[in-house]
């Protein structure tokens, strides 16, 4: 009989800890619905005790999602656990995930607790959580750097108290596949009641081995993998959901495991998460990158044309890439547009949003002959990011000029709180001049920590997608803009970021250290 691997998605919790990736309740709910369509087993919706905003987001997701288990993280204390239980009260299926650090370094320097105090806290927290649900997960934070003897003692105790999932966290990405896999095997062999719980892995990508470590854990008995869409997460990110799922499915001969994920929803989910968070997927990213199924070598192209599996171990259609790239043009109507949204797995909340997206599509079609699937994803993502904050500032018009031997100049017209204003500036290039002109009017005073350009499709008329990250007073936000004119896309992204920075609905990026 084939075993089943549980896919635990923590994009909305651990993924949100990426600088600038914090989301509003509405954005989290939108992603949660897509994760449900993707058919992940568990959605870690957030950290209910971390803020009122996160509590409301977890509650909204728990109230809405029916086909996946909804989970909330909590530290190993009664307040956090009670808050998680309150947020999850209406969930059809819920889980409380509690954690405490177990490495000597974390216990001494961060918690300032003795091993005995940590042992008692872990045991009592699981006992308390069991009052609210029979689905309790326990994580020893920094487990991969913890003393194995102490880990055995703590884990045996929490299983005795009713923990049903044990998650060994490689919190800082320290693990090496052979050693991490051996740790999972040794713990399962040494702990007398290890068969009473599902074993889980949660790996960070600091050394680029998160997926490899997770799969090593799976080969040594773990039956749950904690992962995120696009590998999103703090520092170098987390285990990538799409890579885990497709590795297990593609190499079923080796792993012998089943997963319940609808793989055709992987690319639409990846696009949605990238659009909402502003974290663009690198072109050579496995499975979901724009080049994942591209073949430049003549030998490769010839082989693929003759027999597809000579150079492709997965089919692009199986993960949600469209076989027919050119889909619509300027003469396409609203019905065809709505149909294509449905085929791409894009769900908009209301007819008003559909109408707004269709108008953006028509505007783009007037400027660009062929509209690709990537263009549709981009215009919808830009619409979503534009709606996530109160737009105090709007881009009305802009122009710029540059020539060899002359300093580039730009002029912009903005609306600020309903009042139209204009400014001119010079810069090192047309983008720099334009953003300086915008800043002279907006006066955000923020530092730009990231400027990234990504071509949405091929060819010189392709849309450019720009991500701008701004930081001010500990707050980090991402802004996204797309347009065939890269300078316009840059201006849109910068205005979007400033609006997010000034919006009261945006919350501070989570700073609580977690597994």
């Amino acid at each position: 009989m084939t075993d089943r691997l549980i896919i635990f998605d923590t994009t909305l919790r651990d993924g949100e800890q990426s600088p600038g990736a914090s989301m509003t309740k509405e954005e989290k709910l939108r992603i949660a619905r897509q994760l449900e369509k993707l058919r992940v087993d568990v959605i870690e919706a957030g950290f209910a005790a971390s803020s009122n905003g996160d509590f409301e987001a977890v509650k909204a997701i728990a109230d809405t999602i029916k086909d996946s288990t909804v989970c909330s993280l909590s530290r190993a204390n009664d307040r956090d656990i009670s808050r998680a239980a309150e947020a999850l009260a209406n969930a059809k299926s819920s889980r409380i995930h509690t954690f405490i650090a177990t490495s000597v370094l974390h216990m001494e320097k961060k918690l300032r607790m003795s091993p005995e105090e940590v042992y008692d806290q872990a045991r009592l927290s699981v006992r308390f959580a069991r009052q609210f649900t029979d689905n309790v997960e326990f994580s020893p934070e920094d487990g991969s750097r913890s003393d194995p003897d102490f880990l055995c003692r703590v884990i045996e105790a929490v299983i005795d108290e009713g923990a049903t999932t044990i998650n060994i966290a490689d919190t800082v990405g320290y693990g090496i596949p052979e050693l991490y896999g051996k740790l999972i095997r040794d713990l399962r062999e040494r702990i007398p009641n290890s068969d009473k719980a599902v074993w889980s892995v949660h790996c960070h990508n600091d050394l680029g081995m998160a997926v490899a470590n997770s799969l090593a854990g799976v080969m040594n008995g773990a039956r749950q993998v904690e992962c995120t869409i696009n590998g999103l997460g703090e520092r170098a990110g987390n285990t990538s959901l799409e890579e885990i799922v497709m590795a297990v499915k593609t190499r079923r001969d080796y792993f012998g495991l089943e997963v319940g994920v609808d793989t055709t929803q992987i690319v639409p989910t990846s696009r949605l998460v990238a659009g909402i968070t502003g974290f663009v997927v690198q072109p050579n990213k496995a499975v979901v990158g724009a080049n994942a199924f591209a073949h430049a070598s003549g030998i490769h192209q010839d082989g693929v044309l003759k027999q597809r599996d000579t150079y492709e171990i997965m089919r692009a259609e199986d993960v949600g890439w469209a076989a027919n790239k050119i889909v619509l043009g300027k003469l396409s109507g609203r019905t065809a547009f709505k149909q294509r949204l449905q085929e791409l797995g894009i769900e908009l909340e209301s007819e008003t949003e559909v109408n707004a997206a269709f108008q953006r599509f028509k505007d783009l079609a007037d400027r660009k002959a062929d509209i690709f699937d990537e263009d549709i994803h981009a215009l919808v993502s830009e619409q979503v990011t534009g709606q996530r904050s109160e737009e105090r500032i709007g881009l009305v018009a802009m122009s710029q000029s540059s020539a060899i031997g002359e300093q580039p100049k730009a002029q912009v017209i903005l609306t600020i709180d309903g009042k139209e204003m204009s400014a001119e500036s010079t810069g090192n290039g047309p983008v720099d001049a334009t953003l300086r002109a915008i800043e002279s009017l907006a006066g955000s005073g923020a530092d730009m920590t990231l400027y990234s350009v990504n071509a949405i499709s091929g060819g010189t008329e392709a849309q450019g997608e720009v991500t701008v990250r701004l930081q001010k007073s500990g707050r980090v936000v991402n802004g996204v803009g797309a347009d065939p004119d890269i300078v316009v896309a840059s201006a849109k992204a910068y205005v979007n970021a400033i609006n997010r920075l000034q919006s009261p609905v945006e919350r501070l990026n989570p700073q609580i250290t977690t597994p």
Side-chain angles (χ1 to χ4, degrees):
M1 181 177 176
T2 305
D3 282 344
R4 192 169 188 280
L5 184 64
I6 297 167
I7 300 299
F8 177 112
D9 183 272
T10 184
T11 303
L12 299 176
R13 198 279 299 170
D14 205 338
E16 194 192 23
Q17 291 178 209
S18 301
S22 59
M23 309 169 213
T24 65
K25 180 178 75 173
E26 290 73 22
E27 290 166 344
K28 281 195 163 192
L29 192 54
R30 189 186 292 264
I31 291 175
R33 287 196 182 104
Q34 181 59 33
L35 291 172
E36 183 180 37
K37 184 182 289 188
L38 183 63
R39 296 214 302 262
V40 302
D41 299 288
V42 184
I43 299 172
E44 189 165 50
F47 193 158
S50 66
S51 71
N52 290 333
D54 230 24
F55 175 87
E56 292 299 331
V58 174
K59 185 178 186 306
I61 293 168
D63 292 350
T64 303
I65 299 301
K66 305 303 179 189
D67 296 332
S68 302
T69 295
V70 180
C71 174
S72 176
L73 187 71
S74 67
R75 288 166 295 194
N77 63 62
D78 290 359
R79 176 192 171 276
D80 274 23
I81 293 168
S82 296
R83 194 72 168 149
E86 185 182 353
L88 296 169
N90 295 327
K92 183 177 180 181
S93 174
S94 66
R95 175 184 295 184
I96 293 176
H97 178 192
T98 188
F99 73 95
I100 192 169
T102 53
S103 68
V104 171
L105 178 63
H106 279 227
M107 288 189 292
E108 287 184 358
K109 303 301 182 183
K110 187 183 76 172
L111 298 179
R112 303 192 187 282
M113 294 172 66
S114 69
E116 282 304 312
E117 290 173 321
V118 168
Y119 170 83
D120 288 337
Q121 192 84 2
R123 182 172 53 83
L124 293 173
S125 67
V126 171
R127 180 187 299 178
F128 185 68
R130 280 296 301 238
Q131 297 180 32
F132 303 102
T133 178
D134 59 1
N135 191 344
V136 176
E137 177 172 338
F138 174 78
S139 290
E141 185 188 0
D142 205 23
S144 60
R145 294 196 294 176
S146 298
D147 174 63
D149 292 337
F150 183 60
L151 268 184
C152 287
R153 184 165 172 249
V154 170
I155 292 170
E156 181 179 359
V158 297
I159 294 175
D160 277 342
E161 294 291 351
T164 51
T165 300
I166 299 297
N167 177 56
I168 305 303
D170 184 27
T171 304
V172 294
Y174 186 71
I176 301 295
E178 183 180 0
L179 299 179
Y180 184 73
K182 183 178 183 299
L183 174 63
I184 300 295
R185 183 178 69 248
D186 289 349
L187 292 174
R188 292 181 62 243
E189 290 176 351
R190 291 180 58 188
I191 297 171
N193 56 1
S194 65
D195 60 329
K196 299 293 193 299
V198 173
W199 286 75
S200 173
V201 290
H202 178 116
C203 300
H204 282 258
N205 204 40
D206 297 70
L207 294 176
M209 290 185 281
V211 170
N213 282 329
S214 296
L215 291 174
V218 168
M219 291 307 298
N220 284 278
R223 287 298 177 265
Q224 174 178 286
V225 176
E226 305 200 353
C227 42
T228 63
I229 302 299
N230 301 334
L232 190 68
E234 59 186 329
R235 303 188 313 278
N238 288 278
T239 300
S240 167
L241 179 146
E242 57 275 9
E243 294 177 26
I244 287 290
V245 168
M246 293 314 296
V248 170
K249 288 183 74 72
T250 303
R251 296 306 310 272
R252 188 173 179 274
D253 61 314
Y254 178 73
F255 292 104
L257 295 168
E258 296 286 355
V259 290
V261 168
D262 178 0
T263 60
T264 64
Q265 293 298 319
I266 285 177
V267 169
T269 309
S270 168
R271 295 282 181 168
L272 178 65
V273 170
I276 286 178
T277 61
F279 278 70
V280 176
V281 176
Q282 67 194 62
N284 63 331
K285 171 75 168 65
V287 183
V288 294
N291 291 347
F293 295 90
H295 301 277
S297 163
I299 295 173
H300 286 209
Q301 291 170 349
D302 180 66
V304 168
L305 289 172
K306 289 176 178 175
Q307 180 67 35
R308 188 172 191 166
D309 57 6
T310 53
Y311 287 103
E312 286 189 357
I313 60 173
M314 300 172 281
R315 296 196 318 155
E317 306 94 283
D318 291 343
V319 297
W321 288 106
N324 181 13
K325 290 287 187 178
I326 300 176
V327 292
L328 298 170
K330 67 183 297 181
L331 299 179
S332 300
R334 188 174 179 278
T335 301
F337 178 72
K338 286 185 68 176
Q339 176 65 27
R340 196 62 193 132
L341 289 180
Q342 185 177 347
E343 291 171 358
L344 292 173
I346 297 171
E347 289 189 6
L348 296 177
E349 301 294 319
S350 65
E351 283 299 304
T352 300
E353 289 193 3
V354 172
N355 292 337
F358 180 64
Q359 185 57 55
R360 295 169 75 91
F361 158 73
K362 296 295 281 187
D363 292 342
L364 178 61
D366 284 336
R367 305 170 60 197
K368 191 174 185 290
D370 298 321
I371 306 298
F372 294 79
D373 291 344
E374 292 87 349
D375 293 315
I376 295 174
H377 278 293
L379 69 87
V380 173
S381 295
E382 188 182 43
Q383 178 174 313
V384 170
T385 56
Q387 290 170 345
R388 68 171 140 193
S389 58
E390 295 178 5
E391 293 196 357
R392 287 188 59 243
I393 302 174
L395 180 63
V396 177
M398 54 178 284
S399 63
Q400 65 281 325
S401 62
S402 61
I404 295 175
E406 296 182 8
Q407 188 170 27
K409 297 182 293 184
Q411 180 181 34
V412 299
I413 301 175
L414 307 177
T415 56
I416 301 180
D417 295 327
K419 183 180 179 181
E420 198 167 284
M421 306 173 70
S422 66
E424 295 183 357
S425 184
T426 58
N428 292 327
V431 171
D432 184 44
T434 299
L435 300 193
R436 285 175 182 270
I438 293 172
E439 178 61 26
S440 70
L441 293 175
S444 72
D447 294 324
M448 185 187 299
T449 59
L450 174 73
Y451 174 83
S452 173
V453 180
N454 178 48
I456 292 172
S457 58
T460 56
E461 68 166 14
Q463 281 201 97
E465 188 173 55
V466 174
T467 301
V468 169
R469 182 176 301 158
L470 300 182
Q471 178 173 334
K472 183 180 180 182
S473 303
R475 194 173 195 181
V476 182
V477 298
N478 289 329
V480 179
D483 197 90
D485 185 328
I486 203 66
V487 184
V488 175
S490 301
K492 287 180 177 180
Y494 195 74
V495 168
N496 179 235
I498 293 174
N499 279 320
R500 293 197 67 196
L501 195 65
Q502 297 177 348
S503 173
V505 300
E506 296 292 341
R507 65 183 182 83
L508 289 174
N509 195 63
Q511 296 298 321
I512 298 174
T513 301
T514 54

